Amino acid sequence: MSTDTPPDEKPRLTDAEMLARFQNSTKRPPCTETLGARLVAVDQANMTCRFEFEASQPFANPTGAIQGGFLCAMLDEAMSTAAIITSNVTMNAPTLEMKVSFLRPLFVGKATAEERILKWGKSTCFIEADLFDPDGKLVARASATQAPKPFKRF
């Protein structure tokens, strides 16, 4: 993990406070709701967090597996939120590029994503995420480059 750290212009919330802030937010984007996303763990010292998703029936293809685009959306949502938390909620982190490897199908039900910031630089952030099925089997792995920008620019 990189020793580069994001700017810390305001007091940092504890992990529990940060988790509560996201879980109790009334400003969740519609895409977050559509994916059934819920932040369940934050570890700011290690720049990691964990999400749960509800992979619902409308996301399934004719074989019953969740369509890969929805898996990508889950991974991107989780990685972007991890970057926002790492910035102490001072920056958004648009994804510049993302690579996803699909390792096994995910079927309707719960999914868990675990994200980790690999390097936080001045203009880019390198991040990875793993998506697991309800049995804890790895479904997909993503790596991405993001461009953290102060919220005031948007």
Side-chain angles (χ1 to χ4, degrees):
M1 209 168 300
S2 170
T3 58
D4 294 344
T5 57
D8 228 2
E9 299 168 3
K10 62 182 185 178
R12 185 165 285 279
L13 300 175
T14 66
D15 289 347
E17 290 168 335
M18 188 68 77
L19 182 61
R21 178 179 180 165
F22 276 80
Q23 287 180 338
N24 299 324
S25 176
T26 58
K27 298 179 181 178
R28 290 167 48 98
C31 60
T32 302
E33 296 295 329
T34 298
L35 294 171
R38 184 171 180 271
L39 183 65
V40 295
V42 172
D43 181 345
Q44 295 176 85
N46 291 308
M47 295 190 285
T48 64
C49 60
R50 189 171 61 248
F51 262 88
E52 288 180 352
F53 292 93
E54 185 61 41
S56 61
Q57 182 59 46
F59 301 170
N61 63 29
T63 70
I66 303 302
Q67 196 270 340
F70 287 101
L71 302 181
C72 290
M74 291 174 189
L75 291 160
D76 191 44
E77 173 75 11
M79 290 188 292
S80 293
T81 302
I84 290 168
I85 290 170
T86 298
S87 79
N88 198 27
V89 195
T90 62
M91 298 182 166
N92 194 1
T95 302
L96 298 176
E97 60 86 24
M98 183 170 81
K99 180 205 181 291
V100 179
S101 297
F102 301 101
L103 306 170
R104 67 173 26 92
L106 176 68
F107 296 96
V108 172
K110 295 281 184 206
T112 303
E114 296 178 355
E115 314 75 56
R116 60 210 156 271
I117 305 287
L118 302 176
K119 179 171 177 50
W120 187 278
K122 291 182 181 180
S123 61
T124 56
C125 165
F126 298 93
I127 189 166
E128 288 183 341
D130 292 328
L131 188 67
F132 300 93
D133 70 12
D135 297 324
K137 294 179 182 171
L138 184 61
V139 171
R141 175 167 286 164
S143 61
T145 305
Q146 297 174 333
K149 306 282 184 221
F151 277 119
K152 64 185 176 188
R153 289 193 185 169
F154 289 96

